[in-house]
Structure formats: C-alpha cells, structure tokens
Amino acid sequence: MNKNFLKKKITIYSPQNKILNYCFLADYLFKSDEIEFLSEKTILKNNSCEIFVDVNNLKNFLNTKFNNLNKTIFIVLWNNSFDYFKHNLTIGLLKNKFNQVKLIYLDREKFNSKFNSLSLSDFSISKKRTLKKIKGINFIKYIKYFFPTLSSLYNFFKHPRTSMFFLKTKLVFVGTGDLEDVISAFKVLQLSHNKYTRNLISLSLKRLTNLNSINTNNLFELFNNHNFLKMESHERTYFLRLIFRIILIDHLSNFKYFFHQNKKKPFIDLLNSNIYKNVYQLDLGVLCSNTPNNHRTLQINRFYKNFNIKIEILKNNTIYNNSKLLKRINIIQNYLIELKKFNEFNCDGDYFIQKMAKLKNNYLK
C-alpha cells in the first residue's frame, strides 16, 4: 500500500478516548486538511467510501447494516501485533464483507502478508501542521487541539499546587513505568497462548512482588532465563521494554527534578501543554513498537520539540533476531548500570538534564 493513498479529508469511526490520537496522526503524518469523526448515530448517514475504523469499534462496524459495502476500511493497529492477534478474527470477517481492508501498523517489520498493509514508520513527521477543520468532536476536544494554551491554563489553575512544581526545570515522564503499572502490564502477558511467556511472567511477578525495592540484578537475570528467547517476538520486546522502564523510572524517581505522571497523581495533561517553558519530556516511545511515529512522540514533537530526551532502547530500522537482541540487551544493561551510578539526587535541574542526555548519547545511540 502506497503511503500517498490518503485523501485530504479522512473519515474516522473511533471512541472518544482515541480522538486526539487520530488528530495527531492525521495532522503530522497523513498531512490531512480535514477530519470527520463518526458516531453510532451518524455512521449510517455518512457516504464515505474510505473509513478509518478503530480496533475498539470493529465489531460494531461489522454489525452495522450498510446499504453500500463498497468501502475501504483502514485499521490503525495502535498496539501493533497485539491488536492484530486480538482482533484478527473480526478483521478477517471485515475483509470478507467489504471491498478492501487495509492495515496500518507501527513497525517496519510486516507481521502478516494476507492484508494490504503500511507502516507508520514509512512516514516522515511534518514540520508544519496541515489540519484545519475537525468535525464530529465536542467543544472541549476542539479547544484542546486547536487552542492548547487555553486548555493548558485551565489545567494549571485546576491543580495549582502541582502545576507550580513545573515552573522550574524538570524532567517529566508520562506513562507506564512504576511497579504497579508494570505488574498490571505483566498480567496482560499472562493471558498469552505461549507457555514460555506465561512461565517467565510468573517468575517476574514473584520477583517483583516479593521485593520492597527494585533489584536490578534479579531483573537482568530474567533475560538469561531459558523461557525468554522462546517467547513470541512481540511479547519478548514488550517484556524487555517493561523491565527497562521499571529499572529506569525507579531510579529516576529519587531525583528532585524528575516527575513521573502516573495514575496516583493529579492529572494536568503535561503531554498536551504548551505553557511550561522549563519542562523536558522523557520520550520512551510506546511499549509495543520501535517506531518513532507513535502518538506520544507526535505530541512531544508539537509541544516539546527542543525540550525532550528521546531514549530508543530498540532501533526502528533494525529487525532483531535472537543474536542481535541479546547484543542490544547487553548495551541496555550497561546503560542502566552506569545510570545507577549517577546518584546526585539533589543536583541542579539543568545539570540533571545534561547528565541524562550525555548518558543516553554515550550508550543508546
């Protein structure tokens, strides 16, 4: 599928919580002028022959009684192969019902050849915004996307005590990274059909829940376990990213000028804010993919273009066989060992940022 397949106006059938993700995608990667979002009430009234259908809406879309089945369905696999294996039956039924089904996945590595597919990694991020019009969204989301300063100020005054913390230099990470988050993510992998994945996750959970603090060596040993290389490839790299994050975030949480936005803290939407001039975002990408073109990075690109530290533990342009993966894990371990030696927890904010950037450049190029 050629990446110039898209029209300037695209139509999307998505749940509310994914709307901004699609806006960033359409604006910075697809270079669209206009988006129209459909709901269950408006979908039958729409005559578009090309529709993006979110993975969470696939069954509803399949069961909708359209008069015209001459439609091309685009499906963005936000969780890459995890989404495909979870929804492959429904995707197959859609392929039988409609004119065409096209998958848009994240990595360069194609994991299924039965479908016309395209990788987000094949796009380049636009330097200028193209999106001018969004239909079918509520006023709050419209303001949030087109007038981020207003929504940023609202969030600032909603949680003023927390917000004041970000007026001085800070390194911020928004996403899965603490012990509670990682344990929840591991429990998802416990549902795998692969017995080796289930075995390693059971061992990992025992090591995490029996410890009062994160023991880096105990977690490193998991990569030497015989079950690790027998996991499915997408589960193996997901597991690696989780272990990396829990060691990294656990250590960084000791620093005075680091902040981890998790579920326990007041939510002030730091990723979608343009008012904090001293905040640097720690960009770890997404757990399920190596691509630099994920929705989190697109957000950071818009609001923190020159104020971020991007750490890619796996390279987007590399397909990792067992040998390459183990070599890369050794590099990752060396980075984390050196990071743990950096324990000036009360150091100046600017020095902290410089040190983090230097460590990344020295090890994870």
Side-chain angles (χ1 to χ4, degrees):
M1 180 165 61
N2 189 293
K3 68 178 181 180
N4 298 317
F5 66 98
L6 288 169
K7 298 178 180 178
K8 289 296 183 180
K9 176 182 177 180
I10 60 175
T11 305
I12 302 170
Y13 179 43
S14 162
Q16 288 290 314
N17 65 343
K18 288 288 187 66
I19 283 177
L20 290 179
N21 290 12
Y22 283 104
C23 289
F24 278 99
L25 208 65
D27 203 348
Y28 289 95
L29 289 187
F30 298 159
K31 302 173 179 62
S32 306
D33 291 336
E34 182 179 339
I35 307 175
E36 181 176 3
F37 285 95
L38 304 179
S39 66
E40 291 183 17
K41 294 181 179 179
T42 61
I43 193 166
L44 283 173
K45 298 177 184 178
N46 187 276
N47 296 318
S48 298
C49 293
E50 296 183 349
I51 301 178
F52 279 74
V53 181
D54 190 77
V55 289
N56 293 305
N57 284 3
L58 292 178
K59 288 186 178 179
N60 285 343
F61 191 84
L62 178 65
N63 295 328
T64 301
K65 296 181 180 179
F66 295 98
N67 292 326
N68 179 16
L69 299 180
N70 187 27
K71 297 179 183 294
T72 298
I73 313 304
F74 296 99
I75 303 171
V76 179
L77 301 175
W78 294 104
N79 293 307
N80 217 39
S81 46
F82 283 94
D83 275 346
Y84 176 75
F85 291 121
K86 182 178 180 180
H87 299 283
N88 62 347
L89 179 59
T90 306
I91 293 172
L93 293 173
L94 285 166
K95 188 173 184 290
N96 293 334
K97 182 175 181 178
F98 294 97
N99 183 41
Q100 288 191 75
V101 172
K102 299 182 178 183
L103 303 182
I104 300 177
Y105 53 101
L106 304 188
D107 288 334
R108 293 189 187 280
E109 185 178 6
K110 195 171 182 179
F111 52 83
N112 188 286
S113 58
K114 295 181 181 179
F115 292 90
N116 198 345
S117 304
L118 182 69
S119 170
L120 286 184
S121 296
D122 291 329
F123 288 85
S124 58
I125 299 177
S126 175
K127 294 181 180 179
K128 295 183 179 180
R129 295 182 52 222
T130 60
L131 193 58
K132 298 178 179 66
K133 192 173 184 180
I134 305 175
K135 295 182 179 179
I137 65 172
N138 61 39
F139 181 71
I140 293 175
K141 282 188 170 59
Y142 184 89
I143 292 296
K144 190 171 185 177
Y145 194 79
F146 283 119
F147 303 97
T149 301
L150 292 178
S151 61
S152 298
L153 289 172
Y154 170 80
N155 283 317
F156 182 93
F157 289 110
K158 185 177 180 181
H159 302 287
R161 184 174 295 179
T162 304
S163 300
M164 292 289 287
F165 178 74
F166 303 105
L167 296 181
K168 294 184 179 180
T169 302
K170 297 292 184 300
L171 178 63
V172 170
F173 175 65
V174 181
T176 299
D178 62 17
L179 181 60
E180 185 177 336
D181 289 341
V182 170
I183 287 176
S184 295
F186 276 164
K187 288 179 179 177
V188 173
L189 287 178
Q190 277 187 311
L191 303 176
S192 172
H193 71 277
N194 186 313
K195 67 177 183 180
Y196 301 106
T197 298
R198 296 196 302 271
N199 290 342
L200 190 59
I201 295 305
S202 294
L203 176 60
S204 303
L205 287 171
K206 288 179 182 177
R207 293 196 175 186
L208 288 172
T209 54
N210 289 338
L211 294 173
N212 293 321
S213 61
I214 302 302
N215 186 312
T216 303
N217 290 331
N218 280 350
L219 294 178
F220 282 168
E221 287 175 3
L222 295 170
F223 301 123
N224 298 321
N225 187 282
H226 71 280
N227 290 292
F228 177 66
L229 291 180
K230 295 182 179 180
M231 297 168 71
E232 302 292 339
S233 60
H234 65 287
E235 294 176 340
R236 188 166 59 227
T237 52
Y238 183 84
F239 175 80
L240 170 60
R241 292 186 186 98
L242 282 173
I243 295 295
F244 175 80
R245 283 196 186 188
I246 196 170
I247 296 172
L248 177 72
I249 301 304
D250 177 69
H251 185 65
L252 293 183
S253 295
N254 294 307
F255 285 88
K256 181 179 178 180
Y257 292 100
F258 176 76
F259 180 82
H260 178 209
Q261 175 71 73
N262 56 21
K263 298 173 184 176
K264 298 176 183 177
K265 296 170 183 171
F267 181 68
I268 57 175
D269 206 2
L270 288 164
L271 279 176
N272 285 298
S273 179
N274 66 348
I275 64 172
Y276 298 107
K277 303 305 179 184
N278 298 304
V279 167
Y280 288 75
Q281 288 283 348
L282 180 61
D283 184 2
L284 301 181
V286 290
L287 285 166
C288 59
S289 170
N290 303 338
T291 184
N293 294 342
N294 57 78
H295 64 276
R296 178 188 301 276
T297 300
L298 295 178
Q299 288 173 295
I300 292 174
N301 179 71
R302 179 178 179 183
F303 298 116
Y304 299 91
K305 187 160 188 161
N306 298 313
F307 293 85
N308 71 80
I309 296 176
K310 184 174 181 61
I311 296 180
E312 297 175 296
I313 66 167
L314 297 175
K315 296 294 184 181
N316 180 47
N317 57 0
T318 302
I319 296 175
Y320 288 93
N321 57 27
N322 288 351
S323 176
K324 285 184 178 179
L325 183 62
L326 290 175
K327 287 180 181 178
R328 187 64 180 177
I329 287 173
N330 186 57
I331 293 171
I332 293 166
Q333 288 177 336
N334 289 336
Y335 165 79
L336 289 172
I337 289 168
E338 196 63 29
L339 174 71
K340 297 274 279 188
K341 294 178 183 177
F342 175 37
N343 56 10
E344 299 170 55
F345 300 134
N346 293 316
C347 66
D348 175 77
D350 291 330
Y351 173 75
F352 176 49
I353 298 295
Q354 292 169 10
K355 182 70 173 181
M356 287 298 298
K358 184 178 180 180
L359 283 169
K360 187 265 292 192
N361 291 334
N362 286 344
Y363 287 88
L364 298 175
K365 294 179 181 180

